[in-house]
């Protein structure tokens, strides 16, 4: 009778020894051309032409390697290597294809390419896994063009949210739905993958996006969890007026009000322990004209913390502070996204930790400050993550960099962990 064991050679040869560092690096170089910027970064906004081209390139690599390729209703893409029991839930791994505007060459795409490299290494090792393994490339993790981050994995984990996510529009009025259709047309006939299929486990490899691994001389991070966040859009309505004639006392200057509000928010978020993360990342002024008192300001708040209580207490205080400091303008606050902090445990975390222990790379446990699609998959199944260092911790920046050896080390950990999980 069949049993969930791996053929004999797996016991002697680790599949990770077949990870090809140069092939993995060359794929990053090729991907970085899609949306590549003049100074070596990437602008590959979600479902842009470049982001759709990246799907086509992934498909071509999947086919060349003999794997199956599929796409779902929000243009998440899947590369599948069958197992011996294809009726069983797969083990999934992946990350996102999109980037920030003027972002880096590794944020996101590394997790997809490391997954593909792991699948090829497993092939080269001649291993037949018990469960199928699927690589996923998530749509719009960044939330830069369509302001809803972790979008593809959100639709995957909560398919009842699909329709409302497809309705989200970018600043030019183009909807996710329009662009998913364009992706479908560009790729041509592509097998359709269902959303919501509960995997047996999910792993995600990613650059750390912070300075800790490099500072400690570690090549691999076994991720213990991800901090939570609350994200808001603030709109302040004032009144346009002539800059030369309107008396100061009578003005409803939306920009001055925003200035007071942001000052008060900085006090609210002040933290001597430097654990709170508080960012105003987008700021728009209307009419944005030299001689006109600003009539409207809109800005975003990204507030993160590893402790849910802090997210509740400081996050809930924002509204009151806003109304107090915006006067005589009128302010509205909309919460657009909320994620609770998570702690990884269970089989997926153990598989990553054991794979790291089994290899020679220096590693450490590390908590994630950045958000990841793993937050949504955590709601479905046992989930774990692997980090590799990035130079000086720089990310969401065109200067983002990582070394071929570190990228390969993370792919090796991923490869061995996948084989363990898919062999159960
Ligand atoms: C996700 O990209 C984040 O901003 O943490
Ligand atoms: Mn990312
Ligand atoms: Mn990012």
């Amino acid at each position: 009778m069949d049993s969930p064991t791996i053929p004999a050679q797996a016991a002697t040869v680790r599949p990770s020894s077949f990870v090809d560092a140069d092939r993995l690096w060359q794929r990053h170089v090729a991907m970085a051309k899609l949306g590549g910027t003049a100074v070596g970064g990437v602008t590959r906004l979600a479902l842009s032409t470049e982001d759709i081209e990246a799907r086509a390139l992934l498909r071509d690599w999947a086919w060349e390697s003999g794997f199956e390729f599929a796409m779902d209703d929000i243009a998440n893409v899947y590369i599948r290597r069958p197992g011996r029991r294809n009726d069983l839930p797969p083990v999934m791994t992946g990350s996102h294809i999109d980037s920030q505007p003027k972002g880096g060459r590794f944020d996101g795409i590394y997790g997809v390419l490391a997954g593909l490299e792991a699948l090829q290494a497993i092939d080269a090792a001649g291993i037949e896994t018990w469960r199928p393994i699927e690589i996923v490339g998530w749509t719009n993790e960044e939330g830069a063009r369509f302001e809803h981050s972790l979008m593809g994995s959100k639709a995957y984990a909560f398919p009842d949210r699909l329709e409302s996510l497809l309705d989200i529009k970018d600043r030019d009025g183009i909807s996710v739905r329009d662009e998913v259709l364009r992706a479908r047309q560009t790729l041509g006939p592509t097998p359709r993958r269902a959303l919501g299929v509960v995997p047996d486990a999910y792993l995600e490899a990613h650059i750390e996006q912070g300075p800790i691994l490099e500072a400690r001389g570690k090549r691999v991070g076994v991720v213990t969890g991800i901090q939570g966040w609350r994200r808001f859009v603030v709109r302040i309505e004032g009144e346009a007026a002539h800059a030369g004639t309107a008396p100061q006392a009578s003005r409803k200057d939306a920009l001055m009000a925003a200035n007071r509000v942001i000052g008060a928010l900085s006090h609210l978020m002040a933290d001597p322990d430097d654990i709170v993360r508080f960012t105003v990342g987008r700021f728009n002024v209307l009419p944005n004209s030299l001689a006109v008192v600003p009539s409207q300001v809109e800005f975003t708040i990204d507030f993160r913390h590893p402790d849910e209580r802090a997210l509740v207490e400081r996050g809930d205080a924002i509204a009151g502070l806003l109304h107090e400091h915006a006067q005589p303008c009128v302010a509205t606050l909309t919460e657009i996204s909320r994620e609770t902090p998570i702690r990884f445990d269970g089989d997926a975390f153990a598989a990553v930790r054991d794979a790291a222990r089994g290899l020679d790379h220096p590693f450490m446990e590390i908590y994630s400050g950045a958000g990841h699609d793993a937050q949504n998959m955590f709601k479905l199944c046992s989930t774990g993550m692997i980090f590799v260092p990035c130079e000086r911790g720089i990310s969401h920046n065109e200067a983002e960099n990582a070394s071929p050896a570190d990228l390969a080390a993370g792919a090796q950990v991923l490869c061995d962990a996948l084989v363990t999980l898919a062999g159960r």
Side-chain angles (χ1 to χ4, degrees), residues 201-203 221-225 343-357 364-366 382-386 413 417 421:
Y202 175 79
L203 299 180
V222 176
V223 183
T224 54
R343 284 265 163 204
F344 295 133
D345 57 10
D347 292 352
F349 173 76
V352 171
R353 187 197 52 210
D354 294 348
R357 281 184 184 152
M364 64 181 279
E365 293 194 354
I366 185 169
S382 181
T383 298
M385 287 194 74
I386 300 154
V413 173
L421 292 168

Coordinates of all heavy atoms in Angstrom, one line a residue, residues 201-203 221-225 343-357 364-366 382-386 413 417 421:
A201 N -0.5 23.2 4.2 CA 0.5 24.1 4.8 C 0.9 25.2 3.8 O 0.8 25.0 2.6 CB 1.7 23.4 5.4
Y202 N 1.3 26.4 4.3 CA 1.8 27.4 3.4 C 3.1 28.0 4.0 O 3.3 28.2 5.2 CB 0.8 28.6 3.4 CG 1.3 29.8 2.6 CD1 1.2 29.8 1.2 CD2 1.7 30.9 3.3 CE1 1.7 30.9 0.5 CE2 2.2 32.0 2.5 CZ 2.1 32.0 1.2 OH 2.6 33.1 0.4
L203 N 4.1 28.1 3.1 CA 5.4 28.7 3.4 C 5.6 29.9 2.5 O 5.2 29.9 1.4 CB 6.5 27.7 3.2 CG 6.5 26.4 4.0 CD1 7.7 25.6 3.7 CD2 6.5 26.7 5.5
G221 N 16.6 33.7 8.3 CA 15.7 34.0 9.5 C 14.6 33.0 9.5 O 13.9 32.8 8.4
V222 N 14.3 32.4 10.6 CA 13.1 31.5 10.8 C 12.1 32.5 11.5 O 12.3 32.9 12.6 CB 13.5 30.3 11.7 CG1 12.2 29.5 12.0 CG2 14.5 29.5 11.1
V223 N 11.1 32.8 10.7 CA 10.2 33.9 11.1 C 9.2 33.4 12.2 O 8.5 32.3 12.0 CB 9.4 34.5 9.9 CG1 8.6 35.7 10.4 CG2 10.5 34.9 8.9
T224 N 9.1 34.1 13.3 CA 8.2 33.6 14.4 C 6.8 34.3 14.4 O 5.9 33.8 15.0 CB 8.9 34.0 15.8 OG1 9.1 35.4 15.7 CG2 10.2 33.3 16.0
G225 N 6.7 35.3 13.6 CA 5.4 36.0 13.5 C 5.4 37.3 12.8 O 6.5 37.7 12.3
R343 N 1.4 34.8 15.5 CA 2.6 34.0 15.9 C 2.5 32.7 15.2 O 1.5 32.0 15.2 CB 2.5 33.7 17.4 CG 2.8 34.9 18.3 CD 4.3 34.9 18.7 NE 4.7 36.2 19.2 CZ 6.0 36.6 19.2 NH1 6.9 35.9 18.8 NH2 6.3 37.8 19.7
F344 N 3.6 32.4 14.5 CA 3.6 31.1 13.8 C 4.0 30.0 14.7 O 4.8 30.1 15.6 CB 4.7 31.1 12.7 CG 4.5 32.1 11.6 CD1 5.5 32.9 11.1 CD2 3.3 32.2 10.9 CE1 5.3 33.8 10.1 CE2 3.0 33.1 9.9 CZ 4.0 33.9 9.5
D345 N 3.3 28.8 14.6 CA 3.7 27.6 15.3 C 3.2 26.4 14.5 O 2.9 26.6 13.3 CB 3.1 27.6 16.7 CG 1.6 27.7 16.7 OD1 1.0 27.6 15.6 OD2 1.0 28.0 17.8
G346 N 3.2 25.3 15.0 CA 2.7 24.1 14.3 C 3.7 23.6 13.3 O 4.9 23.9 13.3
D347 N 3.2 22.7 12.4 CA 4.0 22.0 11.5 C 4.9 22.8 10.5 O 6.0 22.5 10.2 CB 3.2 21.0 10.6 CG 2.5 19.9 11.5 OD1 2.9 19.8 12.7 OD2 1.7 19.2 11.0
A348 N 4.3 23.9 10.0 CA 5.0 24.7 9.0 C 6.2 25.4 9.6 O 7.3 25.4 9.1 CB 4.0 25.7 8.3
F349 N 5.9 26.0 10.8 CA 7.0 26.7 11.5 C 8.1 25.6 11.9 O 9.3 25.9 11.6 CB 6.5 27.3 12.8 CG 7.6 27.9 13.7 CD1 8.2 29.1 13.3 CD2 8.0 27.2 14.8 CE1 9.2 29.6 14.1 CE2 9.0 27.7 15.6 CZ 9.6 28.9 15.3
A350 N 7.7 24.5 12.3 CA 8.7 23.4 12.7 C 9.5 22.9 11.5 O 10.7 22.7 11.6 CB 8.0 22.3 13.4
A351 N 8.8 22.8 10.4 CA 9.5 22.4 9.2 C 10.6 23.4 8.7 O 11.7 23.0 8.3 CB 8.5 22.1 8.0
V352 N 10.3 24.7 8.8 CA 11.3 25.7 8.5 C 12.4 25.6 9.5 O 13.6 25.6 9.1 CB 10.6 27.1 8.5 CG1 11.7 28.2 8.3 CG2 9.6 27.2 7.3
R353 N 12.1 25.6 10.8 CA 13.1 25.6 11.8 C 14.0 24.4 11.6 O 15.3 24.5 11.7 CB 12.5 25.6 13.2 CG 13.4 25.8 14.3 CD 12.8 25.3 15.6 NE 12.2 24.0 15.5 CZ 11.1 23.5 16.1 NH1 10.5 24.3 17.0 NH2 10.7 22.3 15.9
D354 N 13.4 23.2 11.4 CA 14.2 22.0 11.3 C 15.1 22.0 10.0 O 16.2 21.5 10.0 CB 13.3 20.7 11.3 CG 12.6 20.6 12.7 OD1 13.1 21.3 13.6 OD2 11.7 19.8 12.8
A355 N 14.5 22.5 8.9 CA 15.3 22.6 7.7 C 16.5 23.6 7.9 O 17.6 23.3 7.4 CB 14.4 23.1 6.5
A356 N 16.3 24.7 8.6 CA 17.4 25.6 8.8 C 18.4 24.9 9.7 O 19.6 25.0 9.4 CB 16.9 26.9 9.5
R357 N 18.0 24.2 10.7 CA 19.0 23.4 11.6 C 19.8 22.4 10.8 O 20.9 22.1 11.1 CB 18.2 22.7 12.7 CG 17.8 23.6 13.8 CD 17.1 22.8 14.9 NE 16.6 23.6 16.0 CZ 15.6 23.3 16.7 NH1 14.9 22.2 16.6 NH2 15.2 24.2 17.7
M364 N 18.7 32.5 12.6 CA 18.2 32.9 13.9 C 16.7 33.0 13.7 O 16.2 33.1 12.6 CB 18.8 34.3 14.3 CG 18.4 35.4 13.4 SD 19.1 37.0 13.8 CE 17.9 37.5 15.1
E365 N 16.0 33.1 14.9 CA 14.5 33.3 14.8 C 14.4 34.8 14.8 O 15.1 35.6 15.3 CB 13.8 32.8 16.1 CG 13.9 31.2 16.0 CD 12.9 30.6 17.0 OE1 12.3 31.3 17.8 OE2 12.8 29.3 17.0
I366 N 13.3 35.3 14.1 CA 13.1 36.7 13.8 C 11.7 37.0 13.7 O 10.9 36.2 13.1 CB 14.0 37.2 12.6 CG1 13.9 38.7 12.4 CG2 13.5 36.4 11.3 CD1 14.9 39.2 11.4
S382 N -1.6 25.8 8.7 CA -0.3 26.0 9.3 C 0.6 26.8 8.4 O 0.7 26.4 7.2 CB 0.3 24.6 9.6 OG 1.5 24.8 10.3
T383 N 1.3 27.8 8.9 CA 2.0 28.8 8.0 C 3.4 29.1 8.6 O 3.5 29.2 9.8 CB 1.2 30.0 7.9 OG1 -0.1 29.7 7.3 CG2 1.9 31.1 7.1
G384 N 4.4 29.2 7.8 CA 5.7 29.6 8.2 C 6.4 30.5 7.2 O 5.9 30.6 6.0
M385 N 7.4 31.2 7.6 CA 8.1 32.1 6.7 C 9.6 32.0 6.9 O 10.1 31.7 8.0 CB 7.8 33.6 6.9 CG 6.4 33.9 6.4 SD 6.2 35.7 6.3 CE 7.2 36.1 4.8
I386 N 10.4 32.3 5.8 CA 11.8 32.2 5.8 C 12.3 33.6 5.3 O 11.8 34.1 4.3 CB 12.3 31.2 4.8 CG1 11.8 29.8 5.2 CG2 13.8 31.2 4.7 CD1 11.7 28.8 4.0
V413 N 16.5 26.2 2.4 CA 15.6 26.0 3.6 C 14.2 25.7 3.1 O 13.5 24.8 3.6 CB 15.7 27.2 4.6 CG1 14.7 27.0 5.7 CG2 17.1 27.3 5.1
A417 N 12.1 22.2 3.6 CA 10.9 22.3 4.4 C 9.7 21.8 3.6 O 8.8 21.1 4.1 CB 10.7 23.7 4.9
L421 N 7.0 18.8 4.5 CA 5.6 19.0 4.6 C 4.8 18.2 3.5 O 3.8 17.6 3.8 CB 5.3 20.5 4.5 CG 5.8 21.4 5.6 CD1 5.7 22.8 5.2 CD2 5.0 21.1 6.9

